[in-house]
Amino acid sequence: MGKITKTRHPSKIEQYNIESLTKGILSFDIPSLARAITLIESNLEKHLGLSQTLLHRILPFTGNSIRIGITGAPGVGKSTFIESFGTYLCEIGKKVAILAIDPTSSVSKGSVLGDKTRMERLSRYPNAFIRPSPSGGALGGVARKTRETILLCEAAGFDVIIVETIGVGQSEIVVRSMVDFFLLLIPPGGGDELQGFKKGSVEIADAIIVNKADGNNIHLANITKQEYLQALRYLLPATEGWTTAVLTASALENLGIEDVWKIIQDFVDNTKNSGAFDRRRKEQSLNWMHLLLRDYILDSFYRHSKVKAILNEMELDVLNGKITPTAAFRKIIYSMKNENFIGFE
Ligand code: GDP
């Protein structure tokens, strides 16, 4: 078995021809795009270098899409909505890429988002590209891969890039940090939850869509919409100069889908004119670099053999009340000053 892996491995690495991948991506060749994403998702050191070369080549062709984040609790209708919305966009001639960040896929093997059986109708459109969430690894790594995938999709010529996630933990904040426009899907009813856990999601949304506004739910959906409009009056807008929109829609019956696109176009016109659009993108790029630096430094620090050794000792001393946490922290840092560790030179 070992032998098979050894002989197959190098040829797999050599498969990536950056020149032809670049050409393929720039001419909207979907198999090339998919291969490039696989390269970016690889954790092999050799692939990291190659993928950066590729990204460097395509960078001048990026930045021209509208990046939309979509969140909502499981069952609220995200995939149904994305299918309707994506289909609408394809019908009006747009090229649409759907990416996902699924925090559950790194915890367990099962994924809530992005499996292939979802969005079957949309996947039949040649202008639609659906890519499941990169699996495994910490959220930081998944985020890096998704950010770079956005760049690849833009170079390929996608007009709209949708990044889907579920309202769990940090994943919404991570998606907010890589998109221009952030959409929150909610079900009819439950406006009273606004005081609690939903507030965080509402605060970062540029539009809130009360989905499932059909059949017997229409009245309730309108009440929910009013409740959210009221509550938003007391919150700061998620984007400077933009008033968070609240709409009702039915993903299942294709109602209100066009209005969502109108709102997004309004948002883009508005924020491009005011400069807020470009400012956010620039901030996002800088924050991304700093995040990478922070992750790298933290990781190297905790992996350092000297840190590992002294950390155990200090943890015990803190637990046994022998030393204060501050004194322990100072001892650890002091011991690293002699190690030429990055950041302590
Ligand atoms: P997700 O988990 O957020 O992706 O939700 P799904 O898109 O899988 O939808 C969950 C369930 O809600 C499915 O049974 C859908 O058919 C249903 N659903 C989604 N959108 C609507 C809608 O607009 N109206 C109604 N009545 N049902 C919907």
Side-chain angles (χ1 to χ4, degrees), residues 54-295:
L54 173 65
L55 285 166
H56 185 70
R57 296 257 176 101
I58 56 101
L59 201 59
F61 307 96
T62 63
N64 297 322
S65 78
I66 300 173
R67 306 166 182 171
I68 302 171
I70 295 189
T71 188
V76 70
K78 288 180 298 302
S79 50
T80 314
F81 176 82
I82 292 171
E83 177 140 82
S84 293
F85 184 59
T87 303
Y88 168 77
L89 292 175
C90 287
E91 293 281 342
I92 61 168
K94 302 285 179 201
K95 294 182 178 134
V96 188
I98 319 289
L99 315 176
I101 286 190
D102 183 353
T104 57
S105 70
S106 30
V107 180
S108 62
K109 286 272 185 241
S111 90
V112 178
L113 302 173
D115 51 329
K116 281 180 190 142
T117 53
R118 299 163 83 234
M119 303 175 204
E120 253 174 63
R121 186 161 53 104
L122 181 58
S123 64
R124 284 198 288 269
Y125 280 78
N127 277 359
F129 174 72
I130 303 172
R131 181 83 182 190
S133 175
S135 59
L139 186 57
V142 171
R144 194 264 302 162
K145 292 166 187 176
T146 308
R147 284 192 175 98
E148 293 178 346
T149 300
I150 290 178
L151 296 178
L152 292 178
C153 291
E154 284 184 343
F158 283 97
D159 306 292
V160 178
I161 297 171
I162 295 176
V163 186
E164 178 190 12
T165 192
I166 49 172
V168 170
Q170 277 294 97
S171 64
E172 282 185 339
I173 306 285
V174 165
V175 172
R176 169 76 268 188
S177 76
M178 61 179 79
V179 297
D180 307 310
F181 189 89
F182 196 67
L183 256 177
L184 167 67
L185 253 61
I186 56 166
D192 42 328
E193 288 166 359
L194 255 173
Q195 311 305 326
F197 72 100
K198 280 236 189 79
K199 197 163 163 247
S201 316
V202 172
E203 277 171 337
I204 56 172
D206 294 306
I208 296 165
I209 297 178
V210 189
N211 190 35
K212 305 194 181 180
D214 46 48
N216 293 333
N217 272 330
I218 295 179
H219 181 59
L220 185 58
N222 281 320
I223 293 175
T224 308
K225 174 179 161 176
Q226 292 309 322
E227 283 171 350
Y228 273 77
L229 281 170
Q230 282 288 333
L232 280 165
R233 287 163 56 191
Y234 303 100
L235 296 178
L236 283 174
T239 301
E240 57 168 303
W242 174 257
T243 309
T244 305
V246 187
L247 298 98
T248 57
S250 167
L252 202 62
E253 297 188 4
N254 258 318
L255 302 169
I257 301 299
E258 200 177 335
D259 295 336
V260 177
W261 180 234
K262 276 193 194 134
I263 288 279
I264 295 173
Q265 283 179 302
D266 257 13
F267 173 91
V268 172
D269 288 346
N270 205 298
T271 52
K272 279 197 170 166
N273 281 335
S274 73
F277 189 93
D278 283 340
R279 261 199 304 283
R280 171 177 273 147
R281 282 221 175 157
K282 283 185 175 144
E283 265 173 34
Q284 288 177 340
S285 290
L286 280 186
N287 287 341
W288 177 7
M289 184 191 78
H290 284 290
L291 263 176
L292 290 173
L293 270 174
R294 233 171 308 178
D295 281 357

